[in-house]
Amino acid sequence: MTEFRGRHTLLIATLVVMLMPNATLVVPLFLEVNAVHLIGSMWSIILPYAFYPFGVYLTYIYFSTALPPELLDAARLDGCSEIGVFRRVALPLAAPVVALVGFFSFVANWTNYFLPYVMLPDSRQFPVQVGLGDAAERRPQFNPTVGSLAVQRPELALATLLAITPVLVVFLFSQRFLVAGMLAGATKN
Amino acid sequence: MRTDTRTTAPPLPPPAAVPRPRGRPRRATRRLGVQPLPALVLALFLVFFVLPALWLVLAATKTDSQLVHSNPLAFGSWRALRANWDALTDYQDNAVFLWLRNSALYAFLALVITLCVAIPRATDWR
């Protein structure tokens, strides 16, 4: 809708970030977050993962293939404002891709280990993946000096089951949207 | 969303110009038996994906020595599961639930920002 200088460069930059493995970005992200004094706050892991390049790319593909521009032009002719065009026409048609991006983003955040491991020093702030890793180091076989803080291996298995259950539930509920979303942009006529 | 492939819609009458293919209809050959290659591939995938998850579920029902010494795919006991649950929830004063809550909070906030950023930004590029 809006044309601005450098939008193609911005798209290319998004794609380049998408191609990089997450682990390569952890140290640069740590330096950036440290520069704005957010280490140890929850925003240190929410903000880096909130700008999700794969989600931007997926919605870009969806809007550029599945949504005919004539539809938006028709809405503009009928007197819709730009925000109205987005909210009344584009957004309802994009429901499958919203669900798809939401699911992938949720799973990526939920299973993220390395970034919170680096960013959060306090064990009361750990997400469950880092907590599991922390607990796994307190097995008596691994570390004989843990004493009363020891964790047995079956308890770790149980904790793992607890940690994967939310993803399973979200997947079961979003399955029909996901199947519809996977076909987004599959045909072009 | 499941599609039941066994029940099909009543077949449309064939167009007059196209002659019916001779011999057995295709569906009959497909139903004759299990095709060996797809079945084998499916079985391999089933083992590859389901077996570790099954082991994990069963491991939670065992004591630590049972986990090491008994059959990997044997069920432990409900009592051991209960004891594991109690020990896990006692661990560092309910730390597991605190961690789960943290995870949910982080994932949800990031998800909201992701959607607010990705959807309008992508519409700009069309």
Side-chain angles (χ1 to χ4, degrees):
Chain A
M1 295 174 200
T2 25
E3 302 272 337
F4 56 90
R5 283 173 68 88
R7 57 185 201 138
H8 191 68
T9 320
L10 197 55
L11 178 62
I12 298 292
T14 307
L15 292 186
V16 168
V17 175
M18 197 180 90
L19 292 177
M20 286 187 186
N22 282 337
T24 57
L25 294 176
V26 164
V27 172
L29 277 175
F30 182 86
L31 295 176
E32 280 179 30
V33 171
N34 193 30
V36 292
H37 304 291
L38 279 176
I39 295 292
S41 87
M42 67 176 190
W43 297 105
S44 66
I45 58 171
I46 292 175
L47 289 179
Y49 265 68
F51 300 95
Y52 185 45
F54 179 63
V56 175
Y57 183 66
L58 204 63
T59 37
Y60 163 68
I61 291 289
Y62 182 84
F63 277 119
S64 65
T65 57
L67 195 66
E70 293 81 12
L71 216 55
L72 302 181
D73 290 341
R76 276 186 207 119
L77 266 185
D78 289 344
C80 237
S81 62
E82 285 298 316
I83 296 174
V85 169
F86 174 67
R87 202 172 59 83
R88 290 166 200 268
V89 181
L91 199 56
L93 287 172
V97 84
V98 171
L100 198 64
V101 171
F103 177 75
F104 281 131
S105 162
F106 178 80
V107 172
N109 276 296
W110 189 270
T111 57
N112 186 15
Y113 175 81
F114 194 26
L115 191 69
Y117 178 74
V118 171
M119 296 283 187
L120 300 176
D122 182 10
S123 84
R124 300 196 65 79
Q125 285 185 313
F126 282 173
V128 70
Q129 315 297 342
V130 181
L132 268 181
D134 186 57
E137 285 170 12
R138 296 174 195 269
R139 280 170 300 154
Q141 295 88 357
F142 185 80
N143 181 357
T145 60
V146 283
S148 64
L149 282 175
V151 178
Q152 301 299 325
R153 284 169 289 189
E155 294 162 25
L156 283 174
L158 190 59
T160 311
L161 286 177
L162 275 182
I164 60 178
T165 309
V167 176
L168 198 65
V169 170
V170 168
F171 177 72
L172 288 179
F173 279 105
S174 58
Q175 205 183 10
R176 58 186 302 171
F177 292 108
L178 289 183
V179 173
M182 288 292 188
L183 294 175
T187 59
K188 189 173 183 181
N189 46 7
Chain B
M1 199 167 62
R2 295 258 160 72
T3 316
D4 195 351
T5 48
R6 285 166 303 181
T7 60
T8 51
L12 295 170
V18 181
R20 232 180 205 296
R22 302 204 162 237
R24 280 188 307 194
R26 268 187 67 110
R27 280 184 59 83
T29 52
R30 270 223 305 243
R31 278 194 171 188
L32 263 182
V34 184
Q35 292 185 347
L37 192 63
L40 183 72
V41 172
L42 276 181
L44 280 178
F45 268 92
L46 199 69
V47 168
F48 187 80
F49 288 118
V50 174
L51 211 56
L54 183 67
W55 180 86
L56 196 64
V57 171
L58 290 170
T61 68
K62 291 172 184 169
T63 63
D64 196 56
S65 70
Q66 271 179 325
L67 185 67
V68 180
H69 295 115
S70 73
N71 182 359
L73 292 181
F75 181 76
S77 66
W78 292 109
R79 211 157 51 96
L81 178 63
R82 177 85 206 172
N84 286 333
W85 175 261
D86 288 342
L88 182 67
T89 49
D90 270 352
Y91 174 70
Q92 287 192 9
D93 195 21
N94 259 334
V96 174
F97 294 111
L98 179 70
W99 292 336
L100 280 169
R101 217 193 55 203
N102 284 341
S103 267
L105 177 71
Y106 301 154
F108 177 74
L109 285 178
L111 173 66
V112 170
I113 302 177
T114 300
L115 289 180
C116 291
V117 169
I119 307 296
R121 201 162 82 172
T123 46
D124 276 355
W125 273 320
R126 48 167 310 108

